[in-house]
């Protein structure tokens, strides 16, 4: 290999090794992988092993952010995005304006910055790290939660705001106003190009991409589908960037337009692997870009500045979320998730320096400050995730409803998907039903469809008695939690022994537990649907409806007989037990043909099993 090839190969090995090492260590310590990536980036950066130029790495790694926004767009739908307009432009505007104003005032009065420098500093620090925030929320599975949706809306607004903010920099530069005044056509042309770029993405996503993917799918070449997915992401991002807009915003629009495509899951699978690796490199590049010399030379001021940014930004975001009726704990999580400065800071501060708005020392300090907030944010989020459950006050359970007007002959406990179908059958026959559930959102949702559900915890005897359990002809336990179902059965059997109990079962083992508890009837939640599915499949294969029904009835009878035998002799009743080997319950019908391996790995497994059976 030549020298350049050696350097490239060594850098690739260093990044891969850093990713492999940092994630397990960060997880072991209870931190987000983002923290590990940032810290290991410092180690392989200019102050450490110096494996590559941070600027070059950052340029490549920004593709991770682009792919992340594409995948976020795929998860949304245009209709969902429109419903988030209040959050995007309401919360987004409030957060950006309030935070920018606070930081600009601090820079002007506290640090002695000029007006232009203070405005640039305030805007850059008020924008949050999209990749960091989405990664943190995604790890907790909170993106779909109310506070997660609002957090994403703010991040999306910030990405949209990048365009006018970049245009603002020349205006704030010395003599910038005169330059813009002299050439208003340039401003109009830039706006026209931006609109045209968006139109090209919208039209392509609407009319061209689905036919393209359909042709590629027919070819059967998976590598072509992967290449097409990357082409869509890179093409949309490149087009928007060429038009002076945010590359990430272009990728988001492309994902949004493909969110209802039949190829959405294929695209997601193809892009996701690249996204994860490039995001890891992106976070490492942030650690690499930290100028340790500047940090060491200004430790006191940077520590105070980082703390001030953290406090001001978190407090403002917390208040904005609380004003939108988000719970205190979720508002705190959102505040810390949005604490980190964004990738935009590493663009805006050098741009301010080039336009004469910032001095070199100011730009270096602000870049170091932004990098420190990116390290501090994930650390605080991890600490907050640990501390909040410990200090959370137990939520007082609301009192059960007044059951004075409840007069049902059947009590249905649990109004999930299973309970809803059971209730529909009873109500259709004009059977008087009393339904209780402890999910407030479920109760409100059912009320919109004209079904009255009482709030109450079915695992409490006083609630059951208040609901009239002692006078009911049948009690249907339809909850989707095994422990809750067993507890209800135990309570009813102990205190209302004459009640007839019909219980939803989770699986075969749970059915055995319920039968031992003395229920009158139990049914596995998937049994009948699977039998119906099997019957229709037999019919599709040419079996007559009568023959299919007879076969399913036979399977049902033998399944019940096997369950009763297992109830007496144990779950492995009738199975041959080999010492030291895992034993599976025997099938209802032995296959007529032996298993045939489809690959070498399967051949090894079957050969291994044949040795024991012989």
């Amino acid at each position: 290999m030549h020298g350049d090839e050696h350097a490239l190969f060594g850098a690739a090995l260093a990044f891969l090794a850093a990713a492999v090492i940092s994630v397990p260590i960060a997880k072991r310590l209870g931190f987000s992988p983002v923290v590990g990536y940032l810290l290991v980036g410092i180690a392989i950066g200019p102050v450490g092993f110096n494996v590559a130029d941070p600027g070059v790495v950052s340029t490549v790694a920004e593709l991770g952010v682009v792919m992340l926004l594409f995948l976020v767009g795929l998860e949304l739908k245009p209709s969902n995005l429109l419903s988030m307009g209040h959050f995007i432009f309401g919360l987004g505007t409030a957060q950006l304006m309030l935070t920018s104003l606070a930081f600009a005032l601090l820079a002007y009065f506290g640090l002695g910055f000029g007006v232009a420098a203070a405005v640039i500093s305030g805007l850059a620090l008020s924008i949050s790290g999209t990749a960091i925030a989405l990664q943190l929320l995604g790890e907790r599975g909170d993106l779909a939660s109310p506070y997660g949706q609002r957090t994403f809306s703010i991040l999306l607004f910030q990405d949209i705001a990048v365009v006018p903010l970049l245009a603002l920099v020349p205006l704030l530069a010395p003599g910038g106003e005169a330059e813009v005044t002299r050439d208003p056509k340039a401003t109009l042309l830039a706006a026209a190009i931006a609109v045209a770029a968006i139109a090209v993405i919208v039209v392509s996503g609407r009319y061209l991409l689905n036919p393209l993917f359909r042709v590629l799918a027919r070819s059967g070449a998976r590598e072509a589908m992967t290449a097409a997915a990357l082409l869509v992401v890179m093409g949309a991002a490149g087009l928007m960037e060429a038009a002076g807009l945010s590359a990430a915003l272009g990728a988001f629009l492309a994902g949004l337009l493909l969110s209802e495509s039949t190829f959405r899951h294929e695209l997601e699978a193809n892009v996701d692997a690249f996204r994860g690796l490039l995001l890891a490199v992106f976070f490492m590049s942030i650690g690499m870009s930290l100028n340790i010399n500047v940090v060491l030379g200004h430790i006191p001021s940077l520590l105070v500045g980082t703390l001030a940014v953290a406090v001001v930004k978190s407090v403002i975001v917390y208040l904005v979320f609380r004003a939108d009726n988000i719970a205190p704990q979720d508002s705190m999580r959102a505040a810390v998730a949005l604490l980190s400065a964004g990738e935009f800071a590493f663009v805006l501060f050098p741009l301010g320096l080039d336009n004469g708005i910032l001095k070199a020392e100011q730009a270096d300090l602000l870049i170091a400050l932004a990098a420190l907030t990116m390290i501090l944010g994930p650390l605080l989020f991890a600490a907050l995730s640990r501390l909040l459950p410990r200090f959370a006050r137990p939520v007082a359970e609301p009192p059960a409803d007044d059951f004075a007007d409840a007069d049902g002959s059947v009590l249905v406990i649990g109004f999930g998907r299973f309970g809803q179908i059971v209730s529909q059958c009873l109500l259709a026959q004009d059977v008087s039903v009393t339904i209780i559930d402890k999910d407030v959102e479920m109760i409100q949702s059912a009320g919109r469809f004209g079904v009255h559900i009482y709030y109450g915890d079915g695992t409490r005897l006083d609630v059951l008695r208040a609901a009239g359990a002692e006078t009911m002809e049948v009690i249907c336990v339809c909850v989707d939690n095994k422990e809750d179902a067993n507890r209800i059965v135990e309570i009813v059997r102990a205190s209302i022994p004459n009640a007839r109990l019909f219980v939803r079962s989770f699986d075969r083992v749970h059915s055995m537990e319920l039968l031992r508890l003395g229920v009158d009837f139990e049914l596995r939640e998937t049994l009948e649907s699977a039998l119906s599915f099997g019957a229709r499949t037999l019919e599709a294969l040419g079996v007559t409806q009568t023959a299919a029904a007879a076969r399913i009835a036979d399977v049902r009878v033998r399944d019940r007989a096997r369950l009763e035998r297992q109830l007496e002799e144990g779950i492995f009743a009738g199975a041959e037990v080999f010492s030291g080997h895992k034993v599976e319950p025997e099938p209802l019908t032995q296959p007529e043909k032996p298993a045939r391996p489809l690959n070498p790995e399967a051949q090894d497994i079957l050969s291994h099993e044949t040795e024991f059976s012989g």
Side-chain angles (χ1 to χ4, degrees), residues 531 534-536 538-539 543-556:
L531 291 175
R536 293 300 298 269
L538 289 174
E539 293 172 22
V543 180
T544 65
Q545 187 174 6
T546 303
R551 176 59 61 194
I552 295 303
D554 178 58
V555 171
R556 184 186 288 109

Side-chain angles (χ1 to χ4, degrees), residues 287-560:
M288 294 174 68
S289 67
L290 186 62
N291 192 329
I292 298 297
N293 293 327
V294 174
V295 173
L296 294 177
H298 301 82
I299 290 179
S301 57
L302 281 175
L303 288 178
V304 172
T306 303
L307 182 62
V309 169
V311 171
V312 171
K313 199 170 187 179
S314 298
V315 168
I316 291 176
V317 172
Y318 177 84
L319 294 176
V320 168
F321 273 68
R322 290 293 293 135
D324 201 44
N325 296 318
I326 298 299
Q329 287 195 4
D330 287 341
S331 297
M332 290 178 66
R333 289 192 178 95
V336 177
L338 292 171
L339 182 153
S340 302
E343 309 80 44
F344 177 62
F346 297 93
V347 176
L348 191 56
F349 290 140
L351 188 62
L353 177 64
D354 293 340
N355 281 271
I357 298 173
L358 294 171
K359 299 177 182 177
E361 184 178 4
Q362 291 174 335
D364 287 340
L365 283 172
L366 289 170
I367 290 173
L369 179 63
L372 287 175
T373 64
M374 288 181 159
I375 295 173
L376 179 64
L379 285 169
L380 287 179
F381 193 87
L384 191 70
S385 298
R386 285 184 173 186
L387 293 175
L388 279 182
R390 297 182 183 180
F391 293 98
R393 295 180 180 178
V395 179
E397 184 177 332
D401 281 344
D402 179 9
F403 293 94
D405 57 343
D407 58 353
S409 57
V410 176
L411 174 62
V412 176
I413 306 173
F415 198 67
R417 291 173 297 173
F418 191 93
Q420 289 171 23
I421 297 174
V422 171
S423 302
Q424 287 174 14
C425 296
L426 298 172
L427 293 170
Q429 190 61 28
D430 294 326
V431 175
S432 55
V433 181
T434 297
I435 309 170
I436 64 174
D437 199 293
K438 61 179 181 180
D439 187 334
V440 176
E441 292 185 2
M442 182 65 70
I443 293 171
Q444 293 172 342
S445 176
R448 291 196 291 268
F449 294 95
V451 179
H452 180 63
I453 307 177
Y454 295 93
Y455 174 81
D457 185 352
T459 62
R460 290 171 48 186
L461 179 58
D462 59 332
V463 172
L464 293 175
R465 281 178 170 159
E470 293 174 314
T471 61
M472 294 290 175
E473 294 184 32
V474 179
I475 298 176
C476 297
V477 182
C478 303
V479 297
D480 59 1
N481 182 282
K482 288 170 53 177
E483 289 73 22
D484 286 351
N486 290 352
R487 180 168 174 77
I488 294 170
V489 170
E490 290 169 353
I491 291 173
V492 172
R493 277 286 164 257
S495 303
I496 317 174
N498 295 325
R500 284 195 292 171
L501 274 169
F502 283 39
V503 188
R504 167 193 188 179
S505 165
F506 178 73
D507 55 18
R508 195 176 198 84
V509 175
H510 190 210
S511 290
M512 295 167 59
E513 294 176 5
L514 293 171
L515 289 170
R516 291 191 180 102
L517 290 172
V519 303
D520 297 276
F521 175 76
E522 55 73 32
L523 180 67
R524 272 168 279 158
E525 57 188 20
T526 57
L527 177 63
E528 289 300 325
S529 58
L531 291 175
S532 298
F533 195 97
R536 293 300 298 269
T537 305
L538 289 174
E539 293 172 22
L541 294 174
V543 180
T544 65
Q545 187 174 6
T546 303
R551 176 59 61 194
I552 295 303
D554 178 58
V555 171
R556 184 186 288 109
V557 169
R558 286 189 289 120
D559 177 82
R560 190 67 188 183

Side-chain angles (χ1 to χ4, degrees), residues 20-377:
V20 169
I21 294 170
S22 62
V23 173
I25 294 176
K27 286 287 189 181
R28 184 73 175 175
L29 296 175
F31 295 131
S32 163
V34 175
V35 177
Y37 293 141
L38 292 170
L39 296 179
V40 82
I42 297 174
I44 64 176
V47 297
F49 295 101
N50 195 21
V51 299
D53 180 7
V56 176
V57 174
S58 178
T59 301
V60 176
E62 283 176 7
L63 294 176
V65 182
V66 168
M67 292 183 181
L68 175 64
L69 265 294
F70 176 75
L71 291 176
V72 170
L74 278 180
E75 293 298 323
L76 286 175
K77 292 182 179 179
S79 57
N80 294 339
L81 185 65
L82 291 174
S83 68
M84 293 166 58
H86 162 68
F87 303 141
I88 295 172
F89 296 101
L91 295 181
T93 303
Q95 182 273 333
L96 185 63
M97 297 301 294
L98 292 174
T99 311
S100 300
L101 178 62
F103 286 148
L105 292 175
L106 282 175
Y108 183 77
F109 292 105
L111 301 177
F113 280 24
V115 174
V119 170
I120 293 298
S121 304
L123 290 170
L125 294 175
S126 65
I127 292 180
S128 304
T130 300
I132 293 177
L134 292 182
Q135 183 84 0
L136 294 175
L137 295 176
E139 288 169 4
R140 281 183 51 88
D142 286 350
L143 272 173
S145 66
Y147 94 90
Q149 290 288 295
R150 287 162 174 79
T151 302
F152 171 71
S153 299
I154 288 176
L155 293 169
L156 183 58
F157 177 79
Q158 291 175 352
D159 279 330
I160 295 172
V162 163
V163 180
L165 293 182
L166 285 174
L168 180 65
V169 175
L171 287 174
L172 295 175
E177 300 88 343
E179 185 69 27
V180 172
T181 303
R182 281 199 305 269
D183 194 8
K185 293 182 179 179
T187 304
L188 293 175
L189 180 61
I193 292 174
V195 172
I198 294 174
V200 168
I201 292 178
V202 171
V203 172
S204 300
R206 184 80 175 173
Y207 300 106
L208 301 180
L209 294 183
N210 270 324
L212 170 64
F213 287 122
R214 201 172 294 117
V215 171
L216 294 175
R218 290 198 190 101
S219 72
R222 293 196 61 185
E223 64 276 10
M225 288 290 287
T226 303
L230 294 176
L231 177 64
V232 169
V233 178
M234 301 289 292
L239 179 62
M240 292 292 269
E241 193 167 38
L245 302 174
S246 166
L249 183 60
F252 172 76
L253 282 176
L256 186 68
L257 292 169
L258 289 169
S259 61
E260 296 179 340
S261 167
T262 54
F263 303 97
R264 180 172 73 86
H265 297 294
E266 177 78 13
L267 291 169
E268 186 175 4
N270 289 334
V271 171
D272 192 53
F274 297 97
R275 184 270 310 173
L277 188 58
L278 287 171
L279 267 184
V281 177
F282 171 77
F283 294 128
M284 290 184 214
S285 71
I286 292 173
M288 294 174 68
S289 67
L290 186 62
N291 192 329
I292 298 297
N293 293 327
V294 174
V295 173
L296 294 177
H298 301 82
I299 290 179
S301 57
L302 281 175
L303 288 178
V304 172
T306 303
L307 182 62
V309 169
V311 171
V312 171
K313 199 170 187 179
S314 298
V315 168
I316 291 176
V317 172
Y318 177 84
L319 294 176
V320 168
F321 273 68
R322 290 293 293 135
D324 201 44
N325 296 318
I326 298 299
Q329 287 195 4
D330 287 341
S331 297
M332 290 178 66
R333 289 192 178 95
V336 177
L338 292 171
L339 182 153
S340 302
E343 309 80 44
F344 177 62
F346 297 93
V347 176
L348 191 56
F349 290 140
L351 188 62
L353 177 64
D354 293 340
N355 281 271
I357 298 173
L358 294 171
K359 299 177 182 177
E361 184 178 4
Q362 291 174 335
D364 287 340
L365 283 172
L366 289 170
I367 290 173
L369 179 63
L372 287 175
T373 64
M374 288 181 159
I375 295 173
L376 179 64

